[in-house]
Amino acid sequence: MKRVLTIQDISCLGKCSLTIALPVISALGSETVILPTAVLSTHTMFTHFTCKDLSDQIAPIAAHWKEEGVTFDAIYTGYLGTVEQIEQIQELIRVFKGQNTTVVIDPVMADNGRLYPAFNMDYVKKNAELCALADIIVPNITEAAFMTGMEYREHHDQGYIQELLASLNELGAGISVLTGVSLAEGKTGVMGYERASGEYYVYQNQRIDAAYHGTGDLFSSTCVGELMKGRDWRDAMRIAADYTAHTIDVTLQNPQKPWYGVDFEATLPKLLTME
Ligand code: PXL
């Protein structure tokens, strides 16, 4: 069985980060090892959330794993906390990245043209540096624009997306994938660029007009789980895009849906059948 280490916060309530990554990657058949970077009462779209930073636990936990001879087939990072914490995670990746370890970095820090409340430009710069250690990065357009210094364009064409991918590629990752790419009216999806082959990949599905929290984490976690099943990166992206869109669709049909996250619990069985 493949073993995945995922490093991100626990938002106790909120259906995001570890409360998505753990069930999704496990359901897709990989052992999921977690490194919680902070405990929050909820995600940061609630007001008055509590937050306990766990940075001082990273080094001792990593040291214990090293002593136990633990290895990982993938290391996947999501929402993190501070510049200093990212520095610790850079070190952890250097220590645990073996020849066959796939490093997936989702530089979660912004959306819709704006940084999340907790972050500033130093944090953006550090995330850009973290991306250099990745085999695959999966930022949204806002995060990519911040990390590359390019202008954020809500309405975009393929030319802009290719330029953004070229700049992202300069950060040093093997494959750069942009999420939230809408190349035609009523469509949304992903576009990626693979450094080694120089090839692009575009996938578009139906755009559902609803913005839900945690959908980026659902997408990334699904990618990681599918990659660990041996899927080519393009297939992993396509399945993750379809699964995320399907989950938003199902959530919208639930009259009791919570505002803070999607009903992925209802759609996990379908994910396991997706090709
Ligand atoms: O879904 C990304 C995410 C993860 N964790 C926390 C967040 C967010 C987005 O806002 O606040 C704590």
Side-chain angles (χ1 to χ4, degrees), residues 69-133:
V70 180
T71 58
F72 301 109
D73 298 290
I75 301 175
Y76 155 44
T77 69
Y79 186 103
L80 304 171
T82 59
V83 166
E84 296 72 30
Q85 188 175 73
I86 294 180
E87 282 167 358
Q88 288 184 279
I89 288 161
Q90 286 173 309
E91 177 58 20
L92 183 146
I93 292 173
R94 287 189 195 103
V95 168
F96 283 95
K97 184 171 167 49
Q99 284 242 311
N100 298 312
T101 309
T102 305
V103 176
V104 178
I105 291 181
D106 185 356
V108 180
M109 59 185 156
D111 207 359
N112 301 311
R114 300 177 55 181
L115 285 175
Y116 290 146
F119 303 134
N120 59 24
M121 284 312 290
D122 287 341
Y123 190 77
V124 169
K125 261 178 73 183
K126 204 69 200 176
N127 258 296
E129 208 184 289
L130 179 66
C131 285
L133 299 178

Side-chain angles (χ1 to χ4, degrees), residues 210-225:
Y212 262 112
H213 221 71
T215 49
D217 302 332
L218 193 63
F219 174 85
S220 313
S221 301
T222 306
C223 287
V224 171

Side-chain angles (χ1 to χ4, degrees), residues 8-11 14-18 20 40 42-46 49 78-80 108-109 116-117 119 212-218:
Q8 42 193 324
D9 71 280
I10 294 189
S11 292
K15 302 204 209 189
C16 66
S17 41
L18 281 185
I20 284 190
L40 294 86
T42 62
H43 62 53
T44 61
M45 297 298 120
F46 286 77
F49 59 87
Y79 186 103
L80 304 171
V108 180
M109 59 185 156
Y116 290 146
F119 303 134
Y212 262 112
H213 221 71
T215 49
D217 302 332
L218 193 63

Side-chain angles (χ1 to χ4, degrees), residues 80-226:
L80 304 171
T82 59
V83 166
E84 296 72 30
Q85 188 175 73
I86 294 180
E87 282 167 358
Q88 288 184 279
I89 288 161
Q90 286 173 309
E91 177 58 20
L92 183 146
I93 292 173
R94 287 189 195 103
V95 168
F96 283 95
K97 184 171 167 49
Q99 284 242 311
N100 298 312
T101 309
T102 305
V103 176
V104 178
I105 291 181
D106 185 356
V108 180
M109 59 185 156
D111 207 359
N112 301 311
R114 300 177 55 181
L115 285 175
Y116 290 146
F119 303 134
N120 59 24
M121 284 312 290
D122 287 341
Y123 190 77
V124 169
K125 261 178 73 183
K126 204 69 200 176
N127 258 296
E129 208 184 289
L130 179 66
C131 285
L133 299 178
D135 295 292
I136 306 184
I137 57 173
V138 288
N140 61 33
I141 294 175
T142 304
E143 288 154 352
F146 272 113
M147 289 193 296
T148 59
M150 274 181 66
E151 175 200 0
Y152 167 73
R153 287 192 203 154
E154 187 183 342
H155 301 286
H156 41 260
D157 56 16
Q158 189 151 333
Y160 167 77
I161 296 297
Q162 275 177 308
E163 254 185 78
L164 203 44
L165 283 172
S167 299
L168 274 180
N169 183 52
E170 298 290 312
L171 300 182
I175 297 170
S176 301
V177 176
L178 273 169
T179 61
V181 173
S182 173
L183 296 176
E185 192 71 26
K187 301 272 181 195
T188 191
V190 298
M191 184 163 178
Y193 176 75
E194 183 174 41
R195 172 198 301 280
S197 63
E199 282 176 18
Y200 289 97
Y201 174 69
V202 185
Y203 182 69
Q204 297 277 281
N205 55 16
Q206 286 310 109
R207 183 187 181 92
I208 305 164
D209 248 338
Y212 262 112
H213 221 71
T215 49
D217 302 332
L218 193 63
F219 174 85
S220 313
S221 301
T222 306
C223 287
V224 171
E226 293 292 340

Side-chain angles (χ1 to χ4, degrees), residues 208 215-216 218-220 222 239-249:
I208 305 164
T215 49
L218 193 63
F219 174 85
S220 313
T222 306
I239 291 170
D242 282 344
Y243 175 59
T244 305
H246 171 68
T247 303
I248 295 171
D249 198 19

